[in-house]
């Protein structure tokens, strides 16, 4: 097992890129001691911990057009655009079973980030401490299109709201080696929210003013985080794998060919950099 921390960005269906990257790690028996993910990064990371190669890609590609997963039936059953009851119920129990035994017994550490709506801050839940599906749902519940999730009587939403790339938390864990998987190309930066969107968030979450502040500050925080990551990469303090060209897959993409291509892009680009990653992980600091 490699003494390092693996940081996984969110990005909804853009996580097909991350899935390809992690499948290459599994193919080459590269186990990183600690993994942290938010939103779709957490969902994808859970399959890395359970050692289920291809599971993320299989679900998102095969079920992207299923209205019970994303669409009308999901809204009816979940009051949100994503069918978490279907994902963690029928799909994870019967169609594409999640290997919870391997997940729970893994010696790898795994943390899932979710945003506390009361504080607007990300909290990190450790594997084996709490309801795995409930925590993953909270981490992946995008604002506006998903319901708030209650954990221990506290309201949570998408882990990527405050901490889209949990690099600062990762640095605090004391690992000298940091591997970061991003779902945007190097030139990408978030645009400031329009006044209309700010009004939408203020109206929707008027009970949670700290959450609204965090949402409105997200573009600036994200862009600052990307600059920090670029600095760490340039100094040799982090290994970063990111798409080499702009991603043309939407958050809730339904085009299977686009999703397959993005997954293959992750596989190809990680394979091309595999030897560099091995050298980084094995080099002394």
């Amino acid at each position: 097992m490699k003494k390092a921390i693996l940081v996984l960005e969110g990005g909804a269906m853009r996580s097909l890129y991350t899935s390809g990257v992690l499948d290459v790690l599994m193919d080459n028996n590269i186990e990183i001691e600690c993994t942290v993910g938010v939103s779709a990064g957490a969902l994808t990371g859970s399959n890395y911990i359970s050692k289920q190669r291809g599971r993320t890609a299989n679900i998102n590609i095969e079920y992207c057009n299923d209205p019970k997963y994303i669409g009308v039936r999901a809204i009816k059953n979940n009051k949100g655009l994503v069918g978490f009851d279907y994902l963690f119920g029928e799909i994870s129990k019967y169609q594409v079973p999640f290997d919870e035994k391997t997940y729970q017994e893994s010696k790898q550490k795994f943390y899932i980030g979710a945003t506390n709506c009361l504080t607007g801050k990300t909290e990190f839940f450790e594997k084996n401490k709490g309801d795995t599906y409930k925590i993953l749902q909270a981490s992946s519940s995008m604002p506006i299109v998903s319901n708030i999730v209650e954990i221990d009587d506290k309201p949570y939403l998408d882990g990527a709201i405050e901490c889209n790339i949990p690099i600062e938390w990762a640095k605090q864990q004391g690992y000298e080696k940091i591997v970061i998987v991003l779902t945007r190309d190097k030139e990408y930066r978030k645009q400031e929210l329009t006044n209309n969107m700010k009004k939408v968030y203020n109206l929707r979450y008027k009970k949670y003013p700290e959450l609204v502040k965090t949402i409105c500050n997200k573009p600036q925080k994200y862009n600052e985080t990307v600059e920090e990551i670029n600095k760490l990469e340039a100094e040799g303090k982090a290994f970063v794998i990111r798409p080499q060209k702009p991603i043309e897959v939407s958050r809730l993409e339904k085009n299977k060919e686009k999703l397959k291509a993005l997954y293959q892009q992750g596989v190809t680009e990680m394979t091309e950099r595999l030897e560099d990653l091995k050298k980084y992980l094995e080099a002394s600091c």
Side-chain angles (χ1 to χ4, degrees):
M1 190 177 297
K2 303 299 182 183
K3 192 169 181 59
I5 186 165
L6 175 63
V7 180
L8 305 177
E9 181 179 10
M13 285 300 195
R14 292 190 296 272
S15 67
L16 265 293
Y17 181 85
T18 305
S19 174
V21 170
L22 297 186
D23 281 358
V24 172
L25 298 191
M26 285 188 272
D27 287 343
N28 289 273
N29 299 312
I30 296 177
E31 288 191 347
I32 294 177
E33 186 173 291
C34 183
T35 297
V36 59
V38 295
S39 198
L43 288 170
T44 307
S46 67
N47 294 317
Y48 172 61
I49 301 301
S50 68
K51 298 295 177 288
Q52 290 180 274
R53 186 198 187 286
R55 184 172 184 268
T56 298
N58 188 1
I59 291 173
N60 285 321
I61 293 171
E62 294 305 316
Y63 291 87
C64 67
N65 290 307
D66 189 329
K68 289 184 291 184
Y69 184 36
I70 301 173
V72 177
R73 289 284 296 280
I75 294 172
K76 180 180 178 181
N77 295 337
N78 294 263
K79 295 184 174 63
L81 200 56
V82 179
F84 290 110
D85 66 325
Y86 186 46
L87 172 61
F88 297 131
E90 184 176 340
I91 293 176
S92 292
K93 291 179 180 179
Y94 308 109
Q95 304 297 334
V96 192
F98 179 59
D99 188 347
E100 192 157 5
K101 184 174 186 294
T102 297
Y103 173 86
Q104 298 288 359
E105 294 178 356
S106 172
K107 297 189 182 302
Q108 291 174 277
K109 299 175 184 177
F110 183 51
Y111 293 86
I112 301 165
T115 302
N116 185 318
C117 297
L118 298 172
T119 64
K121 301 297 183 182
T122 307
E123 296 178 8
F124 292 90
F125 296 83
E126 188 176 2
K127 174 172 65 73
N128 296 339
K129 294 185 178 179
D131 183 328
T132 299
Y133 290 154
K134 181 70 73 174
I135 295 168
L136 285 171
Q137 178 178 346
S139 181
S140 306
S141 291
M142 295 179 286
I144 304 297
V145 300
S146 300
N147 272 356
I148 286 173
V149 178
E150 297 281 337
I151 300 175
D152 296 330
D153 297 322
K154 296 177 184 178
Y156 291 90
L157 274 175
D158 197 331
I161 294 173
E162 194 246 347
C163 196
N164 207 81
I165 312 167
I167 185 64
E168 289 304 319
W169 184 89
K171 287 163 61 178
Q172 293 169 9
Q173 306 315 301
Y175 287 92
E176 295 181 339
K177 302 286 185 178
I178 304 174
V179 179
I180 307 169
V181 183
L182 303 180
T183 55
R184 290 289 196 179
D185 66 281
K186 195 167 187 177
E187 303 305 315
Y188 176 80
R189 298 294 185 276
K190 286 190 181 296
Q191 299 298 312
E192 291 295 320
L193 293 178
T194 64
N195 288 332
N196 283 340
M197 280 308 301
K198 289 178 181 179
K199 289 178 182 177
V200 169
Y201 286 121
N202 271 287
L203 182 62
R204 177 69 175 84
Y205 299 114
K206 58 185 177 182
K207 288 175 55 180
Y208 306 107
E210 294 303 318
L211 176 66
V212 174
K213 287 180 187 177
T214 298
I215 291 174
C216 292
N217 189 51
K218 179 177 178 177
Q220 179 182 343
K221 175 75 179 294
Y222 178 87
N223 295 340
E224 289 172 352
T225 301
V226 170
E227 294 301 330
E228 172 65 13
I229 289 171
N230 290 343
K231 183 172 180 286
L232 291 171
E233 183 181 29
E235 295 172 348
K237 296 179 180 178
F239 184 95
V240 183
I241 178 75
R242 51 158 68 88
Q244 293 304 296
K245 59 184 179 181
I247 296 298
E248 297 181 354
V249 166
S250 65
R251 288 195 304 172
L252 299 175
E253 183 65 60
K254 290 181 173 292
N255 186 314
K256 290 189 177 185
E257 295 309 312
K258 282 187 176 182
L259 294 173
K260 289 177 183 177
L262 183 56
Y263 169 75
Q264 189 55 50
Q265 183 181 344
V267 170
T268 299
E269 293 180 1
M270 185 66 258
T271 301
E272 290 172 349
R273 299 194 60 201
L274 188 60
E275 292 307 313
D276 291 337
L277 174 61
K278 290 179 179 178
K279 289 176 183 177
Y280 172 78
L281 291 173
E282 292 167 4
S284 58
C285 296

